[in-house]
Amino acid sequence: MGKKRGYLAGLFGKVPIWLPLESSGLVLSPAGGGKTVGFVIPALMSNSTNMIAADLKGTLAAITRRHRQKKFGHKIFTLNPAGRFGDILGPGSRFNPLKILEKNWADAKRFRFLISDAQMLAKQLLPEPVKESNNTFFRNGSRKLLVFAFVYLVITTGKVTLSAALRLLSDMGEISSALYAASVDDRLDGDLARMANDILGKMSEGSSEQLESFREGALQVLEPFAPSGVLADATDDSDFDFADLRRMNATVYIICDPTQMEAFASWLGLVMEAAKTELIRNTDGKEVTLMIDEATNFKFATLPALLTSAREFKLCIWLVAQELEQWAHVYGREALETLLSQTEVKIIHGSRSYKTCHLVSNMLGDYSLYTTSYNKGTSVFGPIGVSESETGRKMLTPDEVARCEQAIVFAGNNPPMLLDKIGYHEVHPWWKQADPNPLFGKKKYKGRLRLWL
């Protein structure tokens, strides 16, 4: 663990502890707890593995992009629809999350994935809520319309975008024409016609209001990709393929606009879903790491299931979040059990949640505390009695976990560790290799140097 291989977890005295990762890891830290400067940026500065980094503010790219390009020889792709820090990052790359459907239709070996991939993307756009809801029927109907629009466009034009699907579903005349044309289309072994006839049946008298509810649900999730918005241009075509990360040295930063997080969260989830699918279908080549910072600020629908199989597909996943309860809120209580059981490394930079502190305290376990008692007996001149007792005590109580200033680290089957946190600004030469954080001016961030590499 002392050798420079893997990811820097902290310092044991003056010794840096590097942890390898084969499948998935979790970093937990409240706002201001140091997860970005103490883990995410050090990982980007030190690890040459191909990475896809969810960068919700754009600062990770601004600080580490130039270093990864120069030090590791990586080709850098920045998906940056809003043009965050454009003067530093330059023009962004385009990526169409529906490009995978175009590839499926164009490839005789993949066309049978077309409908299932369209369903997967529709479910990412319109996921099921964590709590049971009575509106499942209407969500299924909206997804069915989305799937039809995606498949119809790619079959008839060879190209499909989210903006094109929005235009199609926004016009009832266009929808009707598309449905009647598709109802006699024998491509996809008649599946396109089957979908069209099913929807046409709902357009009959008495079902028009129901169909309109389906259409409204589909339009709501496509609205962020309206032609006048920044996401339309960014998803109009693709300048690269995520499968390229298996063949070249590359880093992809996916940058959001914090002022439009609801719209960008939908886009970010779609991009991650498309990336995962391409990487799983193309496993030959290099390992790829998903660095998912602020992992609970958006929903990546198949992420909990991916945690159980990432290693087989040469994927490593780092999930960086503020609280476990946020994960449960986004993905559900069962997914929380998956998160805890499937992450081989857990780095806890503190917590303000009693539930989380209690859980960490239990994970640390107990130890035996031996105490010795003395008593004089009934006579001042009598012999002194000595007794010993053994009691169990938590390694750290929930209150002590909450107040702990060190990182609590669980790594595989090793005993838990207490490590001193260290930021990239306290490491030579990272502090000078990293670029300034544009949110704090043009001066490089430097602290008291504590580690020389």
Side-chain angles (χ1 to χ4, degrees):
M1 290 186 181
K3 295 182 180 179
K4 188 174 182 272
R5 186 174 69 88
Y7 299 85
L8 182 62
L11 296 179
F12 184 72
K14 295 184 178 181
V15 178
I17 302 300
W18 302 87
L19 300 177
L21 187 75
E22 294 184 354
S23 57
S24 306
L26 170 67
V27 179
L28 202 62
S29 173
K35 60 184 181 296
T36 301
V37 298
F39 180 80
V40 181
I41 294 177
L44 288 162
M45 294 297 293
S46 64
N47 198 289
S48 62
T49 305
N50 285 355
M51 283 197 192
I52 300 170
D55 186 4
L56 272 62
K57 300 172 188 171
T59 52
L60 299 180
I63 293 169
T64 66
R65 170 181 178 271
R66 189 174 61 88
H67 172 73
R68 291 187 68 79
Q69 186 175 37
K70 182 179 179 181
K71 176 74 173 178
F72 305 135
H74 279 211
K75 186 170 179 59
I76 305 296
F77 299 99
T78 54
L79 303 185
N80 189 12
R84 294 273 295 169
F85 310 125
D87 55 331
I88 298 171
L89 301 177
S93 301
R94 296 173 301 167
F95 180 75
N96 177 9
L98 305 187
K99 189 77 174 180
I100 189 172
L101 304 181
E102 297 176 17
K103 292 172 66 176
N104 289 347
W105 180 240
D107 188 340
K109 295 180 179 179
R110 289 180 51 156
F111 88 96
R112 295 196 181 277
F113 292 136
L114 179 56
I115 291 181
S116 60
D117 281 351
Q119 291 170 334
M120 173 265 294
L121 293 165
K123 193 160 187 177
Q124 173 61 50
L125 273 169
L126 189 56
E128 283 296 307
V130 170
K131 294 183 179 179
E132 290 187 14
S133 168
N134 295 327
N135 293 325
T136 300
F137 174 76
F138 292 98
R139 279 190 294 275
N140 285 335
S142 295
R143 293 188 197 111
K144 188 173 293 185
L145 275 179
L146 289 168
V147 171
F148 171 77
F150 296 162
V151 174
Y152 173 78
L153 286 168
V154 78
I155 285 180
T156 56
T157 69
K159 181 176 174 61
V160 57
T161 65
L162 293 155
S163 297
L166 175 63
R167 285 192 294 268
L168 174 61
L169 295 178
S170 295
D171 188 327
M172 277 303 299
E174 287 289 327
I175 294 175
S176 296
S177 297
L179 287 168
Y180 282 114
S183 67
V184 293
D185 196 315
D186 61 358
R187 285 176 286 189
L188 277 183
D189 296 335
D191 277 340
L192 181 63
R194 178 182 54 77
M195 283 191 289
N197 284 310
D198 178 61
I199 297 170
L200 283 169
K202 292 181 172 58
M203 291 178 66
S204 60
E205 189 175 352
S207 298
S208 58
E209 290 185 5
Q210 186 181 94
L211 180 64
E212 184 57 28
S213 296
F214 295 164
R215 191 172 76 96
E216 184 60 33
L219 290 175
Q220 284 183 12
V221 296
L222 289 174
E223 201 60 49
F225 306 95
S228 62
V230 295
L231 288 173
D233 289 338
T235 57
D236 182 60
D237 206 344
S238 295
D239 297 324
F240 72 100
D241 192 319
F242 278 102
D244 295 339
L245 273 67
R246 296 297 194 188
R247 299 184 290 272
M248 66 167 71
N249 295 327
T251 299
V252 180
Y253 295 94
I254 308 174
I255 301 172
C256 293
D257 181 353
T259 67
Q260 304 180 65
M261 267 313 299
E262 185 172 347
F264 272 72
S266 175
W267 164 75
L268 178 53
L270 272 178
V271 172
M272 296 298 291
E273 193 68 59
K276 175 217 72 174
T277 303
E278 286 293 353
L279 291 169
I280 286 177
R281 288 187 185 152
N282 297 272
T283 56
D284 291 339
K286 299 177 181 293
E287 180 184 278
V288 178
T289 295
L290 307 184
M291 181 64 67
I292 308 180
D293 194 12
E294 303 292 353
T296 56
N297 281 19
F298 67 100
K299 187 167 186 176
F300 175 6
T302 59
L303 180 56
L306 183 60
L307 293 176
T308 66
S309 58
R311 181 179 180 180
E312 301 170 32
F313 301 116
K314 296 168 70 174
L315 294 174
C316 288
I317 303 173
W318 276 107
L319 299 169
V320 185
Q322 293 189 11
E323 292 293 351
L324 291 176
E325 286 304 306
Q326 289 180 335
W327 175 272
H329 176 73
V330 174
Y331 291 100
R333 189 64 55 181
E334 289 184 5
L336 178 57
E337 293 297 322
T338 302
L339 174 69
L340 295 173
S341 65
Q342 296 301 319
T343 46
E344 63 180 286
V345 175
K346 299 173 184 66
I347 302 174
I348 316 297
H349 280 197
S351 175
R352 299 186 184 120
S353 162
Y354 177 77
K355 287 184 178 180
T356 300
C357 291
H358 190 77
L359 175 64
V360 173
S361 176
N362 286 339
M363 290 169 62
L364 287 167
D366 302 336
Y367 72 95
S368 295
L369 181 66
Y370 294 92
T371 57
T372 302
S373 301
Y374 301 90
N375 61 80
K376 296 186 298 182
T378 56
S379 169
V380 69
F381 299 108
I384 296 175
V386 180
S387 63
E388 292 186 349
S389 62
E390 176 184 355
T391 57
R393 187 199 187 280
K394 294 288 186 186
M395 285 285 188
L396 290 176
T397 65
D399 182 59
E400 289 169 335
V401 171
R403 292 185 285 109
C404 184
E405 296 183 355
Q406 294 173 291
I408 302 170
V409 179
F410 302 89
N413 295 322
N414 296 295
M417 295 176 279
L418 274 179
L419 303 180
D420 293 325
K421 304 175 191 176
I422 184 168
Y424 77 96
H425 59 294
E426 300 171 300
V427 179
H428 179 85
W430 292 348
W431 73 270
K432 64 179 181 179
Q433 292 172 335
D435 286 326
N437 184 336
L439 292 178
F440 301 109
K442 297 182 178 180
K443 189 175 180 180
K444 291 194 175 187
Y445 188 26
K446 181 184 179 184
R448 178 176 63 87
L449 294 182
R450 300 166 57 202
L451 177 62
W452 281 258
L453 298 178

